[in-house]
Amino acid sequence: MAQKTIAVHPADAAPDAPSVWSKRKPTHPVKVTNGSVTVQIGGGAPVVVQSMTNTATEDAAATAAQVKALAAAGSEIVRITVNTPQAAAAVAEIRARLDDEGVFTPLVGDFHYNGHKLLKDYPACAAALSKYRINPGNVGKGERHDDNFATMVKIAVENDKPVRIGVNGGSLDKELLGAMLEANRALAKPRSVREVTLEAIVQSAVQSAQRAEELGLPPDHIVLSTKVSDVQDLVAVCRRLSQLSSWALHLGLTEAGGGTKGIAASSAALAVLLAEGIGDTIRISITPAPGKAREEEVYVAQELLQSMGLRQFAPQVVSCPGCGRTSSDLFQKMALETQQYLRERSPVWRLTAPGFEAMTVAVMGCVVNGPGESANADIGISLPGRGESPVAPVFCDGVKKASLKGETIMSDFKAMIDAYVAARWGVKAGQ
Protein backbone atom coordinates (compact mmCIF):
# COMPACT_ATOMS: atom_id res chain seq x y z
CA MET A 1 0.00 0.00 0.00
CA ALA A 2 1.32 3.45 -0.91
CA GLN A 3 2.32 5.69 1.95
CA LYS A 4 0.20 8.67 2.82
CA THR A 5 1.32 12.04 4.10
CA ILE A 6 -0.30 12.98 7.39
CA ALA A 7 0.87 16.42 8.43
CA VAL A 8 -0.59 17.81 11.62
CA HIS A 9 -0.86 21.60 11.31
CA PRO A 10 -2.91 24.50 12.73
CA ALA A 11 -5.76 23.93 10.28
CA ASP A 12 -6.62 20.82 12.29
CA ALA A 13 -7.62 22.99 15.23
CA ALA A 14 -11.25 23.28 16.13
CA PRO A 15 -12.98 26.08 14.19
CA ASP A 16 -13.77 29.17 16.22
CA ALA A 17 -11.42 27.90 18.91
CA PRO A 18 -11.47 30.01 22.09
CA SER A 19 -8.68 32.36 23.11
CA VAL A 20 -6.81 29.50 24.81
CA TRP A 21 -5.69 28.44 21.33
CA SER A 22 -4.33 31.81 20.23
CA LYS A 23 -2.13 32.45 23.28
CA ARG A 24 -0.10 29.24 23.22
CA LYS A 25 3.57 29.58 24.11
CA PRO A 26 5.69 29.70 20.93
CA THR A 27 8.04 26.71 20.72
CA HIS A 28 10.40 25.19 18.19
CA PRO A 29 8.64 22.94 15.64
CA VAL A 30 9.76 19.31 15.91
CA LYS A 31 8.92 16.99 13.02
CA VAL A 32 8.50 13.32 13.87
CA THR A 33 8.69 11.42 10.60
CA ASN A 34 8.19 7.92 9.26
CA GLY A 35 8.71 7.89 5.52
CA SER A 36 6.30 10.39 4.01
CA VAL A 37 4.27 10.67 7.22
CA THR A 38 5.12 13.65 9.40
CA VAL A 39 3.61 14.70 12.72
CA GLN A 40 4.70 18.12 13.96
CA ILE A 41 5.07 18.85 17.65
CA GLY A 42 5.19 22.53 18.62
CA GLY A 43 5.76 25.49 16.35
CA GLY A 44 2.07 26.37 16.33
CA ALA A 45 0.83 22.89 15.40
CA PRO A 46 -2.20 21.48 17.22
CA VAL A 47 -1.50 19.58 20.43
CA VAL A 48 -0.52 16.06 19.39
CA VAL A 49 -2.01 12.96 21.07
CA GLN A 50 0.34 10.10 21.81
CA SER A 51 0.31 6.87 23.77
CA MET A 52 2.51 3.90 24.69
CA THR A 53 2.28 0.15 24.28
CA ASN A 54 2.44 -2.24 27.23
CA THR A 55 3.34 -5.37 25.27
CA ALA A 56 6.75 -7.05 25.44
CA THR A 57 8.50 -5.34 22.54
CA GLU A 58 10.39 -8.49 21.60
CA ASP A 59 7.00 -9.92 20.63
CA ALA A 60 6.88 -8.09 17.32
CA ALA A 61 3.44 -9.38 16.31
CA ALA A 62 1.75 -8.40 19.58
CA THR A 63 3.44 -5.00 19.71
CA ALA A 64 2.59 -4.19 16.09
CA ALA A 65 -1.02 -5.20 16.75
CA GLN A 66 -1.26 -2.89 19.75
CA VAL A 67 0.34 -0.01 17.88
CA LYS A 68 -2.19 -0.54 15.11
CA ALA A 69 -5.07 -0.45 17.62
CA LEU A 70 -3.75 2.71 19.28
CA ALA A 71 -3.27 4.38 15.91
CA ALA A 72 -6.79 3.43 14.85
CA ALA A 73 -8.07 5.03 18.07
CA GLY A 74 -6.30 8.25 17.10
CA SER A 75 -2.83 8.11 18.67
CA GLU A 76 -0.68 10.18 16.31
CA ILE A 77 2.60 8.92 17.80
CA VAL A 78 3.16 5.66 19.70
CA ARG A 79 6.02 4.94 22.10
CA ILE A 80 7.42 1.46 22.62
CA THR A 81 9.77 0.15 25.31
CA VAL A 82 13.27 -0.74 24.09
CA ASN A 83 14.88 -2.35 27.12
CA THR A 84 16.68 -5.51 25.97
CA PRO A 85 18.73 -6.70 22.99
CA GLN A 86 15.75 -8.79 21.93
CA ALA A 87 13.47 -5.74 22.03
CA ALA A 88 15.95 -3.66 20.04
CA ALA A 89 16.29 -6.44 17.47
CA ALA A 90 12.49 -6.53 17.04
CA VAL A 91 11.99 -2.82 16.35
CA ALA A 92 12.77 -2.97 12.62
CA GLU A 93 10.37 -5.90 12.23
CA ILE A 94 7.63 -4.04 14.11
CA ARG A 95 8.09 -1.05 11.81
CA ALA A 96 8.01 -3.27 8.72
CA ARG A 97 4.87 -5.09 9.88
CA LEU A 98 3.08 -1.80 10.45
CA ASP A 99 4.15 -0.28 7.14
CA ASP A 100 3.03 -3.43 5.31
CA GLU A 101 -0.42 -2.98 6.86
CA GLY A 102 -0.59 0.69 5.93
CA VAL A 103 -0.04 1.92 9.49
CA PHE A 104 2.64 4.61 9.19
CA THR A 105 2.28 6.10 12.68
CA PRO A 106 5.73 7.21 13.93
CA LEU A 107 7.30 5.09 16.66
CA VAL A 108 9.27 6.45 19.62
CA GLY A 109 11.82 4.26 21.39
CA ASP A 110 11.75 4.52 25.19
CA PHE A 111 15.28 3.98 26.58
CA HIS A 112 16.50 3.60 30.17
CA TYR A 113 19.85 2.48 31.61
CA ASN A 114 21.20 0.71 28.51
CA GLY A 115 19.90 2.87 25.67
CA HIS A 116 23.39 3.97 24.64
CA LYS A 117 24.41 0.34 24.13
CA LEU A 118 21.22 -0.74 22.37
CA LEU A 119 21.24 2.16 19.92
CA LYS A 120 24.92 1.53 19.14
CA ASP A 121 24.65 -2.25 18.82
CA TYR A 122 21.40 -2.27 16.82
CA PRO A 123 21.66 0.37 14.07
CA ALA A 124 18.51 -0.98 12.40
CA CYS A 125 16.61 -0.11 15.58
CA ALA A 126 18.07 3.40 15.62
CA ALA A 127 17.07 3.87 11.99
CA ALA A 128 13.55 2.42 12.26
CA LEU A 129 12.49 4.61 15.18
CA SER A 130 11.17 8.09 14.42
CA LYS A 131 12.20 9.57 17.77
CA TYR A 132 14.12 8.57 20.89
CA ARG A 133 13.16 9.16 24.51
CA ILE A 134 16.07 9.64 26.93
CA ASN A 135 15.67 9.89 30.72
CA PRO A 136 18.76 11.77 31.99
CA GLY A 137 18.27 10.24 35.43
CA ASN A 138 18.75 6.73 34.02
CA VAL A 139 21.84 6.97 31.82
CA GLY A 140 24.52 6.32 34.43
CA LYS A 141 26.50 8.26 37.03
CA GLY A 142 29.47 10.63 36.87
CA GLU A 143 31.52 10.32 33.69
CA ARG A 144 29.40 7.39 32.51
CA HIS A 145 26.33 9.64 32.67
CA ASP A 146 27.93 12.19 30.37
CA ASP A 147 29.41 9.60 28.00
CA ASN A 148 26.23 7.54 27.72
CA PHE A 149 24.07 10.60 27.17
CA ALA A 150 26.48 11.86 24.51
CA THR A 151 26.45 8.49 22.74
CA MET A 152 22.65 8.52 22.44
CA VAL A 153 22.50 12.13 21.29
CA LYS A 154 25.22 11.60 18.68
CA ILE A 155 23.36 8.59 17.28
CA ALA A 156 20.23 10.75 17.09
CA VAL A 157 22.20 13.41 15.19
CA GLU A 158 23.65 10.83 12.80
CA ASN A 159 20.18 9.44 12.07
CA ASP A 160 18.50 12.86 12.00
CA LYS A 161 16.09 11.82 14.76
CA PRO A 162 14.43 14.10 17.32
CA VAL A 163 14.79 13.29 21.00
CA ARG A 164 12.47 13.71 23.95
CA ILE A 165 14.47 14.41 27.07
CA GLY A 166 12.06 13.16 29.69
CA VAL A 167 12.76 13.82 33.36
CA ASN A 168 10.69 11.90 35.93
CA GLY A 169 10.37 12.76 39.60
CA GLY A 170 10.74 9.07 40.46
CA SER A 171 14.05 8.70 38.65
CA LEU A 172 15.59 12.14 39.07
CA ASP A 173 19.36 12.48 38.67
CA LYS A 174 20.47 11.92 42.27
CA GLU A 175 23.82 13.63 41.81
CA LEU A 176 22.17 16.81 40.53
CA LEU A 177 19.56 16.75 43.28
CA GLY A 178 22.23 16.15 45.94
CA ALA A 179 24.32 19.09 44.74
CA MET A 180 21.30 21.40 44.70
CA LEU A 181 20.21 20.32 48.19
CA GLU A 182 23.71 20.91 49.52
CA ALA A 183 23.83 24.38 47.98
CA ASN A 184 20.40 25.10 49.41
CA ARG A 185 21.49 24.21 52.94
CA ALA A 186 24.17 26.89 52.72
CA LEU A 187 21.63 29.64 52.05
CA ALA A 188 20.58 32.07 54.78
CA LYS A 189 16.96 31.17 54.05
CA PRO A 190 16.92 27.65 52.62
CA ARG A 191 13.99 26.59 50.48
CA SER A 192 11.96 23.48 51.29
CA VAL A 193 13.11 20.09 50.03
CA ARG A 194 10.02 20.00 47.79
CA GLU A 195 10.91 23.33 46.18
CA VAL A 196 14.49 22.26 45.56
CA THR A 197 13.38 18.92 44.16
CA LEU A 198 10.96 20.53 41.70
CA GLU A 199 13.66 22.98 40.60
CA ALA A 200 16.09 20.05 40.17
CA ILE A 201 13.59 18.35 37.85
CA VAL A 202 13.41 21.47 35.70
CA GLN A 203 17.18 22.03 35.72
CA SER A 204 17.82 18.41 34.74
CA ALA A 205 15.70 18.93 31.62
CA VAL A 206 17.17 22.32 30.75
CA GLN A 207 20.80 21.34 31.31
CA SER A 208 20.34 18.12 29.34
CA ALA A 209 18.77 20.01 26.43
CA GLN A 210 21.62 22.53 26.45
CA ARG A 211 24.14 19.69 26.42
CA ALA A 212 22.28 18.01 23.55
CA GLU A 213 22.54 21.21 21.53
CA GLU A 214 26.29 21.40 22.28
CA LEU A 215 26.55 17.85 20.87
CA GLY A 216 24.92 18.92 17.63
CA LEU A 217 21.22 18.26 18.16
CA PRO A 218 19.34 21.33 16.89
CA PRO A 219 16.55 22.90 18.99
CA ASP A 220 13.93 21.76 16.47
CA HIS A 221 14.92 18.17 17.28
CA ILE A 222 14.34 18.48 21.04
CA VAL A 223 11.18 17.87 23.06
CA LEU A 224 11.26 18.24 26.85
CA SER A 225 9.08 16.75 29.56
CA THR A 226 9.09 17.02 33.34
CA LYS A 227 6.75 14.48 34.87
CA VAL A 228 5.60 13.93 38.44
CA SER A 229 2.58 12.23 39.98
CA ASP A 230 1.15 15.19 41.93
CA VAL A 231 -1.19 17.57 40.09
CA GLN A 232 0.04 20.80 41.69
CA ASP A 233 3.68 19.78 41.35
CA LEU A 234 3.21 19.01 37.65
CA VAL A 235 1.66 22.40 37.03
CA ALA A 236 4.54 24.06 38.90
CA VAL A 237 7.39 22.31 37.05
CA CYS A 238 5.82 22.71 33.61
CA ARG A 239 5.13 26.40 34.18
CA ARG A 240 8.75 26.87 35.24
CA LEU A 241 10.09 24.90 32.29
CA SER A 242 7.95 26.89 29.87
CA GLN A 243 9.30 30.14 31.32
CA LEU A 244 12.91 29.04 30.84
CA SER A 245 12.81 27.64 27.33
CA SER A 246 11.30 27.55 23.87
CA TRP A 247 11.79 23.82 23.34
CA ALA A 248 8.64 21.88 22.50
CA LEU A 249 6.96 20.47 25.61
CA HIS A 250 5.40 17.07 26.24
CA LEU A 251 2.79 17.02 29.02
CA GLY A 252 1.69 14.12 31.16
CA LEU A 253 0.91 13.29 34.77
CA THR A 254 2.98 10.20 35.42
CA GLU A 255 1.67 7.33 37.57
CA ALA A 256 -1.73 9.02 37.51
CA GLY A 257 -3.52 5.89 38.73
CA GLY A 258 -6.49 4.09 37.27
CA GLY A 259 -10.19 4.61 36.77
CA THR A 260 -11.84 7.91 37.59
CA LYS A 261 -8.90 9.00 39.77
CA GLY A 262 -6.40 8.73 36.93
CA ILE A 263 -8.68 10.45 34.45
CA ALA A 264 -9.64 13.26 36.84
CA ALA A 265 -6.08 13.93 38.02
CA SER A 266 -4.60 13.92 34.52
CA SER A 267 -7.36 16.15 33.18
CA ALA A 268 -7.07 18.58 36.10
CA ALA A 269 -3.32 19.05 35.62
CA LEU A 270 -3.22 19.16 31.84
CA ALA A 271 -6.27 21.40 31.49
CA VAL A 272 -4.65 24.08 33.65
CA LEU A 273 -1.45 24.00 31.59
CA LEU A 274 -3.19 23.87 28.22
CA ALA A 275 -5.43 26.77 29.23
CA GLU A 276 -2.25 28.76 29.91
CA GLY A 277 -0.93 27.94 26.44
CA ILE A 278 1.65 25.44 27.72
CA GLY A 279 2.16 22.09 26.01
CA ASP A 280 2.62 20.76 22.49
CA THR A 281 1.87 17.05 22.89
CA ILE A 282 0.12 15.06 25.63
CA ARG A 283 -0.12 11.53 26.92
CA ILE A 284 -2.68 10.38 29.51
CA SER A 285 -0.87 7.80 31.68
CA ILE A 286 -3.74 5.97 33.33
CA THR A 287 -3.51 2.43 34.68
CA PRO A 288 -5.82 0.27 32.56
CA ALA A 289 -8.20 -2.14 34.29
CA PRO A 290 -7.24 -5.81 33.78
CA GLY A 291 -8.23 -6.84 30.28
CA LYS A 292 -9.37 -3.35 29.31
CA ALA A 293 -8.27 -1.90 26.00
CA ARG A 294 -5.18 0.30 26.01
CA GLU A 295 -6.96 2.76 23.74
CA GLU A 296 -8.79 4.34 26.69
CA GLU A 297 -5.89 6.71 27.33
CA VAL A 298 -6.13 7.91 23.73
CA TYR A 299 -9.84 8.61 24.03
CA VAL A 300 -9.34 10.54 27.28
CA ALA A 301 -6.63 12.69 25.67
CA GLN A 302 -8.84 13.39 22.67
CA GLU A 303 -11.86 14.24 24.80
CA LEU A 304 -9.78 16.58 26.95
CA LEU A 305 -8.52 18.50 23.91
CA GLN A 306 -11.93 18.50 22.28
CA SER A 307 -13.72 19.68 25.40
CA MET A 308 -11.31 22.63 25.55
CA GLY A 309 -11.91 23.50 21.92
CA LEU A 310 -8.31 22.77 20.91
CA ARG A 311 -8.89 19.85 18.53
CA GLN A 312 -11.77 17.91 17.01
CA PHE A 313 -11.45 14.15 16.79
CA ALA A 314 -14.87 12.54 16.88
CA PRO A 315 -18.55 13.38 17.39
CA GLN A 316 -19.58 14.04 20.97
CA VAL A 317 -22.57 12.51 22.74
CA VAL A 318 -24.76 14.74 24.89
CA SER A 319 -26.67 12.63 27.43
CA CYS A 320 -28.46 13.24 30.71
CA PRO A 321 -27.43 11.65 34.04
CA GLY A 322 -30.85 10.15 34.68
CA CYS A 323 -33.29 10.83 37.52
CA GLY A 324 -36.56 9.58 38.96
CA ARG A 325 -38.35 10.49 35.71
CA THR A 326 -36.24 8.17 33.54
CA SER A 327 -37.51 4.65 33.10
CA SER A 328 -35.27 1.56 33.01
CA ASP A 329 -31.68 1.86 31.81
CA LEU A 330 -32.47 2.09 28.12
CA PHE A 331 -31.14 5.61 27.66
CA GLN A 332 -27.96 4.75 29.60
CA LYS A 333 -27.28 1.77 27.36
CA MET A 334 -28.10 3.81 24.27
CA ALA A 335 -25.78 6.65 25.29
CA LEU A 336 -22.90 4.23 25.83
CA GLU A 337 -23.58 2.25 22.68
CA THR A 338 -23.93 5.41 20.63
CA GLN A 339 -20.54 6.69 21.82
CA GLN A 340 -18.95 3.35 21.00
CA TYR A 341 -20.60 3.34 17.59
CA LEU A 342 -19.30 6.82 16.78
CA ARG A 343 -15.78 5.70 17.67
CA GLU A 344 -16.09 2.59 15.51
CA ARG A 345 -17.34 4.57 12.53
CA SER A 346 -14.87 7.44 12.86
CA PRO A 347 -12.00 5.78 10.89
CA VAL A 348 -14.38 5.28 7.95
CA TRP A 349 -15.91 8.75 8.17
CA ARG A 350 -12.45 10.36 8.22
CA LEU A 351 -12.07 9.10 4.67
CA THR A 352 -15.63 9.50 3.42
CA ALA A 353 -17.08 12.43 5.38
CA PRO A 354 -14.45 15.02 6.39
CA GLY A 355 -15.87 17.50 8.89
CA PHE A 356 -18.01 14.93 10.71
CA GLU A 357 -15.84 15.40 13.84
CA ALA A 358 -17.84 18.50 14.77
CA MET A 359 -21.12 16.57 15.03
CA THR A 360 -23.02 16.42 18.33
CA VAL A 361 -25.41 13.57 19.05
CA ALA A 362 -27.95 13.79 21.88
CA VAL A 363 -29.32 10.76 23.73
CA MET A 364 -31.82 11.96 26.34
CA GLY A 365 -33.94 10.09 28.86
CA CYS A 366 -37.24 11.95 29.31
CA VAL A 367 -39.46 14.74 28.04
CA VAL A 368 -38.16 17.50 30.37
CA ASN A 369 -34.97 18.37 28.49
CA GLY A 370 -35.03 15.59 25.93
CA PRO A 371 -36.75 17.25 22.96
CA GLY A 372 -34.92 20.54 23.50
CA GLU A 373 -31.43 19.01 23.77
CA SER A 374 -32.17 16.66 20.87
CA ALA A 375 -33.29 19.57 18.70
CA ASN A 376 -30.18 21.59 19.66
CA ALA A 377 -27.86 18.74 18.63
CA ASP A 378 -27.06 17.90 15.03
CA ILE A 379 -29.00 14.69 15.52
CA GLY A 380 -30.66 13.58 18.73
CA ILE A 381 -33.14 11.18 20.21
CA SER A 382 -35.44 11.77 23.18
CA LEU A 383 -36.28 8.45 24.83
CA PRO A 384 -39.50 8.00 26.82
CA GLY A 385 -39.30 8.48 30.56
CA ARG A 386 -41.43 6.91 33.28
CA GLY A 387 -45.14 7.28 32.45
CA GLU A 388 -44.49 8.81 29.01
CA SER A 389 -45.63 7.57 25.63
CA PRO A 390 -43.30 4.73 24.47
CA VAL A 391 -42.18 6.69 21.43
CA ALA A 392 -38.74 8.28 20.85
CA PRO A 393 -38.71 11.31 18.53
CA VAL A 394 -35.52 11.88 16.52
CA PHE A 395 -34.47 15.40 15.51
CA CYS A 396 -32.02 16.38 12.74
CA ASP A 397 -30.86 20.01 12.64
CA GLY A 398 -33.72 20.96 14.94
CA VAL A 399 -36.43 19.34 12.84
CA LYS A 400 -38.31 16.23 13.94
CA LYS A 401 -37.56 13.52 11.37
CA ALA A 402 -38.95 10.31 12.85
CA SER A 403 -40.48 8.60 15.87
CA LEU A 404 -38.87 5.31 16.85
CA LYS A 405 -40.20 2.58 19.08
CA GLY A 406 -39.87 -1.10 19.76
CA GLU A 407 -36.82 -3.32 20.08
CA THR A 408 -35.04 -1.86 17.04
CA ILE A 409 -34.65 1.70 18.40
CA MET A 410 -30.87 1.44 18.69
CA SER A 411 -30.26 -0.06 15.24
CA ASP A 412 -32.74 2.38 13.68
CA PHE A 413 -31.03 5.33 15.37
CA LYS A 414 -27.60 4.15 14.16
CA ALA A 415 -28.92 3.96 10.62
CA MET A 416 -30.25 7.51 10.91
CA ILE A 417 -26.84 8.71 12.16
CA ASP A 418 -25.13 7.10 9.18
CA ALA A 419 -27.61 8.66 6.79
CA TYR A 420 -27.21 12.07 8.42
CA VAL A 421 -23.39 11.96 8.15
CA ALA A 422 -23.55 10.85 4.51
CA ALA A 423 -26.03 13.57 3.59
CA ARG A 424 -24.21 16.40 5.39
CA TRP A 425 -20.52 15.57 5.05
CA GLY A 426 -20.28 12.70 2.56
CA VAL A 427 -17.73 13.10 -0.21
CA LYS A 428 -19.59 13.54 -3.48
CA ALA A 429 -18.52 11.96 -6.75
CA GLY A 430 -15.81 13.99 -8.46
CA GLN A 431 -14.61 15.66 -5.26
Side-chain angles (χ1 to χ4, degrees), residues 87-99:
V91 169
E93 180 185 348
I94 293 168
R95 180 72 274 165
R97 282 174 176 265
L98 291 166
D99 289 347

Side-chain angles (χ1 to χ4, degrees), residues 214-350:
E214 292 172 0
L215 292 165
L217 194 66
D220 64 358
H221 278 53
I222 296 174
V223 178
L224 296 187
S225 69
T226 47
K227 291 189 175 184
V228 292
S229 57
D230 179 84
V231 171
Q232 295 184 53
D233 287 351
L234 182 71
V235 171
V237 295
C238 290
R239 279 176 176 163
R240 175 72 170 147
L241 185 59
S242 180
Q243 291 171 350
L244 294 176
S245 78
S246 293
W247 292 296
L249 297 184
H250 169 120
L251 303 183
L253 184 75
T254 192
E255 289 93 40
T260 55
K261 186 271 180 186
I263 294 172
S266 292
S267 298
L270 270 58
V272 170
L273 293 165
L274 291 167
E276 294 179 2
I278 298 171
D280 301 293
T281 180
I282 66 172
R283 187 219 170 176
I284 303 294
S285 302
I286 51 178
T287 306
K292 192 157 187 179
R294 188 71 165 174
E295 297 92 292
E296 181 184 16
E297 66 178 47
V298 178
Y299 298 138
V300 174
Q302 291 176 329
E303 288 167 6
L304 171 61
L305 293 175
Q306 190 151 344
S307 68
M308 295 184 70
L310 293 171
R311 297 281 304 272
Q312 289 182 333
F313 296 96
Q316 298 292 292
V317 173
V318 176
S319 60
C320 66
C323 67
R325 297 184 62 92
T326 53
S327 60
S328 76
D329 59 357
L330 175 61
F331 86 95
Q332 296 168 306
K333 292 178 179 177
M334 277 199 68
L336 178 60
E337 191 169 341
T338 299
Q339 184 68 71
Q340 292 172 336
Y341 183 69
L342 295 175
R343 285 176 178 167
E344 292 169 2
R345 294 291 292 156
S346 287
V348 175
W349 288 336
R350 287 190 189 104

Side-chain angles (χ1 to χ4, degrees), residues 66 100 144 203 245 297 343 370 390:
Q66 191 172 78
D100 287 345
R144 286 191 297 112
Q203 289 303 321
S245 78
E297 66 178 47
R343 285 176 178 167

Side-chain angles (χ1 to χ4, degrees), residues 32-358:
V32 185
T33 300
N34 172 46
S36 63
V37 174
T38 296
V39 177
Q40 181 174 310
I41 299 173
V47 180
V48 172
V49 171
Q50 59 179 280
S51 56
M52 185 175 184
T53 60
N54 61 358
T55 54
T57 306
E58 54 264 31
D59 187 339
T63 301
Q66 191 172 78
V67 171
K68 183 178 180 180
L70 290 167
S75 184
E76 293 156 316
I77 297 173
V78 178
R79 183 158 44 113
I80 61 176
T81 295
V82 187
N83 59 333
T84 64
Q86 294 79 8
V91 169
E93 180 185 348
I94 293 168
R95 180 72 274 165
R97 282 174 176 265
L98 291 166
D99 289 347
D100 287 345
E101 294 190 50
V103 180
F104 306 114
T105 304
L107 297 178
V108 179
D110 193 63
F111 295 98
H112 297 271
Y113 307 111
N114 59 353
H116 59 289
K117 182 172 177 56
L118 296 177
L119 283 170
K120 183 169 58 177
D121 292 348
Y122 295 87
C125 168
L129 293 168
S130 297
K131 180 164 159 267
Y132 310 153
R133 186 279 175 111
I134 302 174
N135 181 343
N138 288 339
V139 295
K141 298 179 180 179
E143 290 185 4
R144 286 191 297 112
H145 174 283
D146 296 342
D147 291 344
N148 294 345
F149 182 81
T151 296
M152 299 178 76
V153 170
K154 288 176 181 177
I155 292 173
V157 172
E158 291 168 3
N159 285 273
D160 193 27
K161 306 292 185 180
V163 172
R164 171 161 74 95
I165 297 173
V167 180
N168 274 50
S171 53
L172 179 59
D173 185 333
K174 292 181 175 57
E175 292 179 334
L176 174 63
L177 176 60
M180 291 183 66
L181 286 172
E182 184 175 350
N184 182 63
R185 284 192 289 270
L187 297 176
K189 293 183 179 180
R191 293 183 295 172
S192 69
V193 172
R194 171 183 174 272
E195 290 175 313
V196 176
T197 300
L198 295 183
E199 183 63 20
I201 291 171
V202 173
Q203 289 303 321
S204 178
V206 170
Q207 292 175 22
S208 297
Q210 291 171 338
R211 178 56 181 152
E213 287 194 12
E214 292 172 0
L215 292 165
L217 194 66
D220 64 358
H221 278 53
I222 296 174
V223 178
L224 296 187
S225 69
T226 47
K227 291 189 175 184
V228 292
S229 57
D230 179 84
V231 171
Q232 295 184 53
D233 287 351
L234 182 71
V235 171
V237 295
C238 290
R239 279 176 176 163
R240 175 72 170 147
L241 185 59
S242 180
Q243 291 171 350
L244 294 176
S245 78
S246 293
W247 292 296
L249 297 184
H250 169 120
L251 303 183
L253 184 75
T254 192
E255 289 93 40
T260 55
K261 186 271 180 186
I263 294 172
S266 292
S267 298
L270 270 58
V272 170
L273 293 165
L274 291 167
E276 294 179 2
I278 298 171
D280 301 293
T281 180
I282 66 172
R283 187 219 170 176
I284 303 294
S285 302
I286 51 178
T287 306
K292 192 157 187 179
R294 188 71 165 174
E295 297 92 292
E296 181 184 16
E297 66 178 47
V298 178
Y299 298 138
V300 174
Q302 291 176 329
E303 288 167 6
L304 171 61
L305 293 175
Q306 190 151 344
S307 68
M308 295 184 70
L310 293 171
R311 297 281 304 272
Q312 289 182 333
F313 296 96
Q316 298 292 292
V317 173
V318 176
S319 60
C320 66
C323 67
R325 297 184 62 92
T326 53
S327 60
S328 76
D329 59 357
L330 175 61
F331 86 95
Q332 296 168 306
K333 292 178 179 177
M334 277 199 68
L336 178 60
E337 191 169 341
T338 299
Q339 184 68 71
Q340 292 172 336
Y341 183 69
L342 295 175
R343 285 176 178 167
E344 292 169 2
R345 294 291 292 156
S346 287
V348 175
W349 288 336
R350 287 190 189 104
L351 300 176
T352 63
F356 80 97
E357 298 91 346

Side-chain angles (χ1 to χ4, degrees), residues 342-428:
L342 295 175
R343 285 176 178 167
E344 292 169 2
R345 294 291 292 156
S346 287
V348 175
W349 288 336
R350 287 190 189 104
L351 300 176
T352 63
F356 80 97
E357 298 91 346
M359 179 173 63
T360 56
V361 181
V363 179
M364 304 300 293
C366 80
V367 74
V368 173
N369 293 317
E373 289 286 0
S374 298
N376 288 334
D378 292 301
I379 179 170
I381 186 169
S382 179
L383 296 163
R386 185 172 286 110
E388 297 173 11
S389 174
V391 177
V394 177
F395 297 81
C396 295
D397 298 320
V399 178
K400 183 178 176 181
K401 291 292 185 179
S403 293
L404 306 180
K405 61 181 178 179
E407 297 180 357
T408 62
I409 285 181
M410 187 67 243
S411 59
D412 292 343
F413 186 51
K414 288 179 181 178
M416 291 190 71
I417 293 173
D418 270 324
Y420 180 85
V421 171
R424 182 168 175 181
W425 291 288
V427 175
K428 307 298 189 294

